[in-house]
Amino acid sequence: MRPMTMAAGAACVALMFAGSALAQTSPRPNNPNDAIPEASNLPPYGSPINAEVAKKVAAAAIAEAQRRNWNTMCIAVVDPHGELVYFERQDNCQYASISIAQHKARTAARYRRPTLMFENALGKGDNFKYLTTLDDVIASRGGNPITLEGKVIGAIGASGGTGSQDNVVSQAGASSLTATTGSATSR
Amino acid sequence: MKRLSLITLAAAAALMSATAAQAQPAPGAPPPLPEYGGTVTLEQAMKMGNAAVAEAKKLNVHLGITVVDNAGRLVYFMKMDDTRRIGVDLSQGKARTAAATKVPSKAYEDRVAAGGAGLAVLSLGVTASSGGLPIMMNGKMSCAIGVGGGPTGLLDQQVAQAGLDALK
């Protein structure tokens, strides 16, 4: 009886110790992720972009590429869920960019922010490495939300050049929508 | 020795006639498959896509429309408003099937419908549904178009054909 009680007591102590060790996991010093923002300022989702407007957005992106004499771009336009609505591949595009363009668009839609934000955050150091463990992240610029009246109705992704080339083409597409009149969404 | 050379001669003759038979397709045999060659430009792919969309609007249907290169890689894609979601995967699957097999995807729908040993095509990863067509340019196969999401596969194929015809 007595040895058994002792063993049980030892097990209890061990358990408590393990528990407190977990509870005492301390944050890394000066981790900017410890700050708790008072508000979330990401734009809300709106109705999904329609095919006609998706085509116009892509055309504006392609026009920007052509203006700069680039013939290497893939352009993908997705709905707010990240599902493909429209896609064009220029004639001299590398094959890898077919899926990268779609990935950038998908990520920009599902996270409601430009993929440049992930690229920048990873550049800030170790405290942001966790971002690579999140679903569907691509830390490369070129994916941008398409917003209408402050709401995210889709996203555009460009790939085929340098990240900076991709982003200027992508932004040309995303920013073209403000000039559009009439209904831009499918419902 | 004499007997051996006779056998050799007979064997050679048999081989020659077999070769000759191979060079000339037997009556009733399917036509030879086209050679891969050439590439599709974005401009050509958009022309096909636009023509397919116009045909779909005429028929009052909502479809996914895909153009792929010979490797099955995406060149052009359009999902019309209100297309049922499976139309996206169907159109891409049919286009890839036509690109990979050099025949319309209807060929696999027919094989499955016929049952028996033809059901083996289901293990190939093909989309066994009408609406995918291989596209020839200058006598060689250059790309494929796939349409999906319509009420029937044959209607999808009609829209794909309208896209193909835009190149002529």
Side-chain angles (χ1 to χ4, degrees):
Chain A
M1 184 69 183
R2 189 139 181 225
M4 191 132 121
T5 321
M6 276 192 76
C12 272
V13 171
L15 211 65
M16 278 169 66
F17 190 70
S20 68
L22 279 176
Q24 280 176 7
T25 300
S26 53
R28 298 166 66 95
N30 305 317
N31 183 347
N33 295 309
D34 290 337
I36 301 173
E38 282 187 15
S40 166
N41 46 19
L42 288 171
Y45 287 117
S47 297
I49 189 168
N50 68 31
E52 190 190 339
V53 171
K55 190 174 182 175
K56 278 185 190 158
V57 166
I62 291 279
E64 180 68 19
Q66 285 171 339
R67 197 176 66 77
R68 294 168 182 267
N69 279 324
W70 301 336
N71 191 25
T72 61
M73 292 287 166
C74 276
I75 308 293
V77 178
V78 299
D79 69 13
H81 297 280
E83 302 296 333
L84 194 61
V85 176
Y86 192 81
F87 179 90
E88 286 185 24
R89 186 210 320 170
Q90 282 192 300
D91 296 342
N92 193 25
C93 183
Q94 60 184 7
Y95 296 136
S97 289
I98 298 168
S99 52
I100 295 173
Q102 294 178 64
H103 193 170
K104 286 177 178 176
R106 189 168 67 235
T107 301
R110 292 185 180 170
Y111 286 91
R112 298 187 283 188
R113 68 196 83 191
T115 54
L116 175 61
M117 288 178 75
F118 292 111
E119 182 183 323
N120 283 345
L122 279 183
K124 287 182 190 168
D126 288 352
N127 283 319
F128 293 93
K129 278 182 180 169
Y130 78 95
L131 288 172
T132 57
T133 68
L134 300 183
D135 299 41
D136 234 341
V137 164
I138 184 164
S140 173
R141 70 190 83 178
N144 289 287
I146 300 168
T147 55
L148 180 69
E149 291 159 0
K151 292 181 176 173
V152 176
I153 63 168
I156 177 170
S159 177
T162 65
S164 51
Q165 287 177 324
D166 296 346
N167 209 28
V168 77
V169 166
S170 172
Q171 284 172 332
S175 64
S176 69
L177 189 58
T178 45
T180 310
T181 51
S183 175
T185 59
S186 62
R187 344 186 164 113
Chain B
M1 185 68 185
K2 200 167 176 190
R3 199 151 152 211
L4 199 73
S5 63
L6 255 168
I7 293 173
T8 315
L9 219 84
L15 209 68
M16 275 171 68
S17 70
T19 315
Q22 238 174 21
Q24 291 205 332
L33 292 169
E35 274 180 48
Y36 285 126
T39 51
V40 61
T41 64
L42 174 59
E43 197 186 339
Q44 290 168 324
M46 283 185 75
K47 211 169 162 186
M48 287 190 274
N50 290 340
V53 167
E55 179 76 4
K57 283 182 175 165
K58 215 163 69 186
L59 296 167
N60 200 23
V61 287
H62 312 278
L63 305 169
I65 292 153
T66 300
V67 179
V68 297
D69 61 19
N70 278 337
R73 296 191 190 97
L74 210 55
V75 178
Y76 184 82
F77 174 80
M78 153 79 102
K79 183 177 81 167
M80 296 172 68
D81 292 345
D82 219 30
T83 298
R84 47 182 177 154
R85 266 194 306 120
I86 198 164
V88 177
D89 289 343
L90 275 176
S91 75
Q92 295 188 12
K94 289 172 186 179
R96 276 198 302 270
T97 297
T101 64
K102 301 183 176 179
V103 295
S105 58
K106 181 180 190 301
Y108 295 95
E109 180 179 316
D110 292 346
R111 276 203 219 173
V112 170
L119 290 176
V121 299
L122 292 175
S123 66
L124 298 180
V126 295
T127 300
S129 174
S130 302
L133 297 173
I135 292 173
M136 307 284 293
M137 291 182 204
N138 303 319
K140 296 201 171 175
M141 186 176 159
S142 308
C143 62
I145 185 169
V147 173
T152 67
L154 282 178
L155 199 141
D156 290 344
Q157 186 171 278
Q158 181 184 338
V159 171
Q161 184 67 45
L164 191 159
D165 290 343
L167 278 188
K168 286 174 184 166

